Amino acid sequence: MLGNIKHIARKEIYHILRDPRSLVIVFAMPVMMTFLYGFAVNLDIERITLAIIDYDQTPSSRALVDDFYNSTYFDRPDKEIDSWNPEEALKAQDAAGVLTIRHGFGEALERGDEFALGLMIDGSDNLLGAAVNAYSNGVLLKFLQDRLPPDFELPGITISQQVLYNPDLKSSHFFVPAIVAIILIMISALLTSVTIAREKETGTMEQLLVAPVLPREILIGKILPYIVIAFIDGMLVLLFAKLVFGVPIVGSLFVLAIFTMVYVATSLSIGILISSLVQTQQVAMMFALVTTLLPSIMLSGFIFPIKNMPTVLQVISHIVPARYFIDATRGILLKGTGFVLLLPQLGALLALMLVLLVVAGKKFKARIG
Amino acid sequence: MTPVVELDNLTRRFGSFTAVDSISLTVDEGEIFGFLGANGAGKTTAIRMLCGLLLPSAGTGRVAGFDVLTESEKIKKSIGYMSQKFSLYPDLTGRENMHFYGAAYGLTTSRVKERIGALSDRLDLGSFIDRRSGSLPIGWRQRLALSVSLLHEPKILFLDEPTGGVDPVFRRRFWNILYQLASEGVTIFVTTHYMDEAEYCGRISIMHRGRIIVRGEPARLVREHGSDSLEDLFIDLIKERDINAR
């Protein structure tokens, strides 16, 4: 049994090393995809174009304008804004907002009078609109604080806000673990889905089944080398995420490694199951993509919180491996969650893997028809 | 003579289509048995059942003394199989293929090395054995495939159109090797389209639409039917059947 598994595994390694295409899938694709997705899926809003119309034209108003544009949040529009028709700027998408400083701003500031600035926001992109509003208030508050005497206290109650774990609220820190999960499950399932289908296509499976080899030996022998490869891949992608996106690794590297290993093994099992069901490589690849990509994006909590889904989808999300891996990696990377707290996720992944492999073993018979 | 292949009303259906329709035959030890028939006659399906790759729908069969229904794992150890499609790994060299399949048959590495030495002498594989098998000319591929199927010294060899697409010189050498093997007591069960090859066989059977329509020694069959050659016999028989079927 072990001897056969060893030889099947070794033969698989030859196949991988001698096929440049599989090497590309294995090593170039994950890194490329992390790079692309990491940058594409960026929800941090910076450098918003904001038009400012200054009717006041006092040193104070000019200082405020400078404060706005010197912050990282706002940029000047490329085009001159028609101050009589500021709305046109929003319609033409030359700016996401228009701030109007009416005459009397400087005077009001010196006297401490109440004064309102006008802010016109493009609400068609609600995220961007909210950002313009929040950032503008922030810049204004800072501007006022700088001009108050040191002993002067802001009256009233203020909310002290503190953000834990992702202090900059960087979306990349939140997304990258999920992207790692999606890339790994896709690559892993693709890799194994074609291995058995390829042998069916070329006829080598027939030759192999005429030999006294057990189906489970073939399955295990085929999956083993890929566990190693996909694990290296996982580590590579995580390292890349750290270097390029600055995702912190707060928790234990060892726990992270265990999770990555179990997760890729589960993903490879999906590919093995697909491969034992279909006859051609093309169909196998299609199935591998469909069964991994979409559920991992939609049902894993990557973009949509699982709690807000309809009950049916919540139930289905339990068989999506990415869900558990994303949970675990977000915990390990950002919060330093320990092994014990993540045991349910680990157990779920192992259970899924076991079910997949048993079904694959049942479906993959030592016969061809 | 002891029969090493015995089939009794062996049948295989795929849905409503009967690919092999209750065939019965026996093949003796050391015999070269030719299994003839037009494309789609059911030869490959029959061979696959004998090798344990397909389960029969009805009937029984014994190969090397083991039941095809229940003892296919034991059958696998005593037979060699070469399919009509080249079925070695093209990205592995001949030697690597042999090591892999040798291990699959449970041979030790040193035993595989011994066998590779013996077979490469016998089949004259020479330096071709260290080239990637996918890059070999078809004649060499077939010889390599034959040597892989002989690694574990099987008692019975099932060859499904082993010489398809191979030139006449190669075919002749291939058959010389088969003769040698048969003289050593290896039973050879071979399907072919080439009538000259059929004449080399000790006995033949001709299959048509899943049934065996004649069987016997090639020369006697030609004589009994008053045909000029085996080829004429083959064509006449199949025409006759097709007309009767209408």
Side-chain angles (χ1 to χ4, degrees):
Chain A
M1 170 107 187
L2 277 175
N4 272 342
I5 291 176
K6 194 181 83 190
H7 281 97
I8 291 169
R10 184 160 68 194
K11 180 196 63 117
E12 274 325 296
I13 294 171
Y14 282 144
H15 289 324
I16 300 162
L17 294 180
R18 289 180 190 177
D19 180 10
R21 276 178 314 175
S22 70
L23 283 178
V24 169
I25 294 185
V26 169
F27 293 110
M29 223 159 91
V31 170
M32 226 171 63
M33 282 166 63
T34 318
F35 195 74
L36 282 177
Y37 283 95
F39 280 119
V41 188
N42 186 354
L43 292 189
D44 293 333
I45 301 171
E46 283 187 347
R47 318 233 70 93
I48 307 167
T49 13
L50 179 76
I52 303 177
I53 304 169
D54 182 4
Y55 290 116
D56 193 41
Q57 294 293 345
T58 57
S60 301
S61 74
R62 281 187 212 111
L64 181 66
V65 172
D66 285 347
D67 270 16
F68 263 90
Y69 290 134
N70 288 337
S71 75
T72 55
Y73 307 123
F74 297 111
D75 267 352
R76 278 173 207 278
D78 296 332
K79 288 183 194 161
E80 196 67 31
I81 302 299
D82 175 6
S83 47
W84 294 103
N85 274 315
E87 204 190 326
E88 290 304 312
L90 299 189
K91 277 190 189 155
Q93 303 205 356
D94 290 332
V98 181
L99 182 77
T100 314
I101 308 173
R102 285 186 293 115
H103 181 70
F105 169 74
E107 212 170 309
L109 190 71
E110 263 163 49
R111 280 202 253 141
D113 285 355
E114 285 197 5
F115 192 85
L117 298 171
L119 181 61
M120 196 185 282
I121 298 169
D122 178 3
S124 63
D125 183 337
N126 61 337
L127 268 179
L128 196 65
V132 172
N133 190 20
Y135 291 153
S136 302
N137 279 307
V139 173
L140 182 63
L141 190 68
K142 177 118 191 323
F143 174 84
L144 293 175
Q145 275 171 346
D146 289 349
R147 274 154 191 79
L148 289 170
D151 54 340
F152 189 89
E153 278 183 41
L154 280 173
I157 305 156
T158 54
I159 300 166
S160 156
Q161 191 182 323
Q162 188 189 8
V163 179
L164 293 175
Y165 310 131
N166 185 1
D168 305 334
L169 278 179
K170 279 216 167 181
S171 66
S172 69
H173 292 187
F174 187 66
F175 277 117
V176 169
I179 288 161
V180 172
I182 290 164
I183 292 171
L184 282 184
I185 197 171
M186 208 173 81
I187 301 278
S188 306
L190 267 181
L191 281 175
T192 42
S193 73
V194 294
T195 59
I196 295 175
R198 188 200 305 139
E199 296 216 27
K200 284 180 191 167
E201 247 174 49
T202 55
T204 50
M205 188 50 74
E206 201 173 322
Q207 196 69 44
L208 192 54
L209 291 177
V210 173
V213 183
L214 298 173
R216 63 167 175 274
E217 293 172 335
I218 299 178
L219 293 183
I220 297 173
K222 275 183 172 293
I223 213 170
L224 278 180
Y226 289 105
I227 290 187
V228 178
I229 287 173
F231 174 70
I232 296 173
D233 251 3
M235 287 305 165
L236 200 73
V237 170
L238 282 167
L239 179 77
F240 195 75
K242 180 166 175 53
L243 292 181
V244 177
F245 301 104
V247 174
I249 302 182
V250 178
S252 147
L253 215 59
F254 179 69
V255 178
L256 186 64
I258 290 179
F259 263 93
T260 309
M261 180 85 89
V262 173
Y263 180 63
V264 297
T266 309
S267 310
L268 292 167
S269 308
I270 296 177
I272 285 281
L273 175 61
I274 291 169
S275 216
S276 60
L277 293 174
V278 307
Q279 298 299 323
T280 65
Q281 297 185 67
Q282 282 232 309
V283 178
M285 288 173 83
M286 282 250 305
F287 267 96
L289 283 179
V290 170
T291 53
T292 57
L293 201 56
L294 225 57
S296 304
I297 292 175
M298 311 298 277
L299 300 176
S300 64
F302 168 36
I303 296 176
F304 310 113
I306 295 172
K307 274 182 218 151
N308 298 352
M309 290 176 191
T311 320
V312 187
L313 293 184
Q314 285 196 33
V315 172
I316 296 174
S317 78
H318 285 282
I319 58 165
V320 176
R323 172 191 173 153
Y324 303 106
F325 187 67
I326 291 174
D327 254 12
T329 42
R330 277 180 184 163
I332 298 166
L333 293 176
L334 305 180
K335 300 185 225 171
T337 308
F339 187 65
V340 178
L341 281 176
L342 294 171
L343 277 177
Q345 280 83 350
L346 194 71
L349 283 176
L350 286 170
L352 276 176
M353 174 169 68
L354 202 69
V355 170
L356 287 165
L357 284 180
V358 167
V359 177
K362 284 243 189 304
K363 291 285 166 196
F364 180 68
K365 288 279 157 49
R367 300 179 202 283
I368 49 176
Chain B
M1 279 290 196
T2 29
V4 289
V5 178
E6 292 176 85
L7 307 184
D8 187 17
N9 287 311
L10 200 68
T11 302
R12 173 69 202 206
R13 285 182 282 267
F14 294 102
S16 61
F17 171 69
T18 307
V20 172
D21 193 356
S22 48
I23 59 170
S24 303
L25 61 87
T26 59
V27 179
D28 292 326
E29 196 178 325
E31 195 176 4
I32 299 184
F33 189 88
F35 205 53
L36 277 59
N39 289 327
K43 293 169 299 185
T44 300
T45 307
I47 284 204
R48 284 178 169 174
M49 281 193 278
L50 298 181
C51 295
L53 284 173
L54 264 182
L55 272 182
S57 312
T60 56
R62 295 185 84 77
V63 172
F66 302 114
D67 194 316
V68 295
L69 276 156
T70 55
E71 296 174 300
S72 57
E73 289 311 308
K74 286 179 182 161
I75 292 176
K76 286 176 180 177
K77 286 185 181 141
S78 30
I79 61 163
Y81 172 69
M82 185 178 155
S83 79
Q84 53 190 330
K85 224 166 143 184
F86 177 64
S87 51
L88 301 184
Y89 297 98
D91 51 342
L92 264 56
T93 67
R95 195 184 297 278
E96 285 162 349
N97 266 299
M98 287 167 103
H99 271 285
F100 173 69
Y101 279 109
Y105 279 99
L107 306 185
T108 60
T109 310
S110 57
R111 181 76 188 129
V112 173
K113 282 183 184 156
E114 263 173 57
R115 292 294 295 154
I116 289 177
L119 287 166
S120 94
D121 283 350
R122 178 165 210 170
L123 300 177
D124 211 7
L125 295 174
S127 63
F128 284 99
I129 197 169
D130 286 313
R131 288 199 6 205
R132 295 216 180 151
S133 63
S135 68
L136 293 178
I138 187 151
W140 290 101
R141 285 190 196 181
Q142 297 307 79
R143 264 204 248 183
L144 195 62
L146 180 66
S147 63
V148 165
S149 66
L150 289 172
L151 271 174
H152 57 297
E153 298 176 276
K155 282 188 267 178
I156 311 168
L157 201 52
F158 288 96
L159 308 172
D160 194 2
E161 284 174 37
T163 54
V166 175
D167 70 59
V169 181
F170 252 108
R171 281 207 286 144
R172 177 58 62 82
R173 290 172 77 168
F174 197 90
W175 274 85
N176 283 338
I177 295 161
L178 295 188
Y179 263 108
Q180 265 179 37
L181 288 167
S183 70
E184 291 160 20
V186 177
T187 309
I188 293 165
F189 194 99
V190 56
T191 73
T192 179
H193 277 310
Y194 299 108
M195 289 307 142
D196 57 330
E197 288 189 356
E199 281 166 24
Y200 299 151
C201 297
R203 281 192 306 146
I204 58 164
S205 71
I206 296 180
M207 237 182 136
H208 180 61
R209 296 197 173 166
R211 292 179 154 272
I212 292 178
I213 52 177
V214 308
R215 78 189 81 201
E217 291 162 32
R220 214 182 71 207
L221 286 176
V222 172
R223 218 168 38 238
E224 279 174 2
H225 284 78
S227 308
D228 292 335
S229 66
L230 198 55
E231 188 156 347
D232 287 342
L233 169 74
F234 184 87
I235 291 167
D236 288 347
L237 279 172
I238 285 171
K239 260 193 196 154
E240 207 175 283
R241 295 278 158 153
D242 280 343
I243 288 165
N244 288 347
R246 264 173 225 152

